[in-house]
Amino acid sequence: MLLRKMTGASRDVVGAAQAMMRAVTQQARALRFVARDNSAIRRSTRVHGEGGFTLVEMLVVIAIIGLVMGLVGPRVLSYLGESKVKAAKLQIESFGSSLDLFYLDVGRYPSSDEGLRALVERPSNAAAWNGPYLKNAAVPADPWGNAYIYRVPGAKGPYQIVSLGSDGQEGGTGTAADIGNTETLAAVSR
């Protein structure tokens, strides 16, 4: 599966590395040492037909693995970061659905003091609460292990839910950028 995602240049590098490995293996087989009469040397040399790898062959394989990981590793890590951002967006949408159910039952959104805990624990002043509104009766953390921030009123709606991204601080770019529901609320209000 990983080879299917490689670019043409990556496949060329892997092909060249495989050709080098075949050439080194052939050269290593061509070089045979003749054992002298010393029995210790005779025991340590390889007899034709015995399995095993030479040090050179192992070093070439390690170099090839390092080369492939150097080319493919950063791409795989970027997929991991992107998937955490997508997971945070999906969790925020799920919170939005749960908050809407809370609103339908109670007639208001949870206050800032009640926070997202109101989705799993009955607030003291909510008589018609039919929760918990979240699975596992717990408020999950964002994909980076930080708590979501819940604000009432929100910047562009009745509430705002924010994940601070991978750095856990406001602002940032890339995977460290803040992720919130303001885009979703703006699309609904249009």
Side-chain angles (χ1 to χ4, degrees):
M1 182 171 112
L2 188 58
L3 290 176
R4 277 191 238 139
K5 291 186 178 181
M6 286 184 168
T7 61
S10 298
R11 281 193 218 110
D12 293 343
V13 170
V14 170
Q18 289 173 340
M20 285 176 39
M21 181 63 182
R22 284 192 294 272
V24 168
T25 304
Q26 289 173 355
Q27 289 177 358
R29 288 183 183 151
L31 297 174
R32 293 191 192 142
F33 295 100
V34 178
R36 296 211 167 103
D37 290 339
N38 188 340
S39 62
I41 294 175
R42 187 175 297 143
R43 273 186 265 137
S44 67
T45 59
R46 293 193 328 176
V47 178
H48 181 66
E50 280 188 25
F53 297 103
T54 65
L55 179 61
V56 173
E57 290 171 332
M58 289 192 298
L59 289 175
V60 168
V61 169
I62 290 171
I64 291 170
I65 290 172
L67 183 66
V68 169
M69 291 306 296
L71 293 173
V72 177
R75 185 72 176 166
V76 171
L77 291 177
S78 72
Y79 286 134
L80 179 64
E82 292 171 10
S83 66
K84 285 187 175 186
V85 169
K86 289 178 184 176
K89 287 181 181 180
L90 288 172
Q91 259 183 341
I92 289 172
E93 285 182 28
S94 174
F95 285 141
S97 299
S98 298
L99 287 166
D100 290 340
L101 288 173
F102 181 94
Y103 179 82
L104 290 173
D105 289 342
V106 179
R108 63 174 178 81
Y109 289 105
S111 67
S112 294
D113 293 334
E114 294 169 340
L116 295 174
R117 292 293 303 157
L119 298 175
V120 294
E121 294 176 0
R122 177 189 299 267
S124 60
N125 58 354
W129 189 82
N130 290 325
Y133 297 95
L134 297 175
K135 289 183 180 179
N136 302 328
V139 178
D142 71 5
W144 297 278
N146 302 318
Y148 285 97
I149 298 171
Y150 174 74
R151 297 178 183 135
V152 174
K156 295 183 180 179
Y159 60 87
Q160 183 178 12
I161 306 168
V162 178
S163 167
L164 297 178
S166 63
D167 63 352
Q169 299 176 2
E170 289 198 32
T173 59
T175 59
D178 296 346
I179 303 160
N181 66 325
T182 53
E183 302 87 20
T184 308
L185 290 174
V188 170
S189 64
R190 287 183 196 159

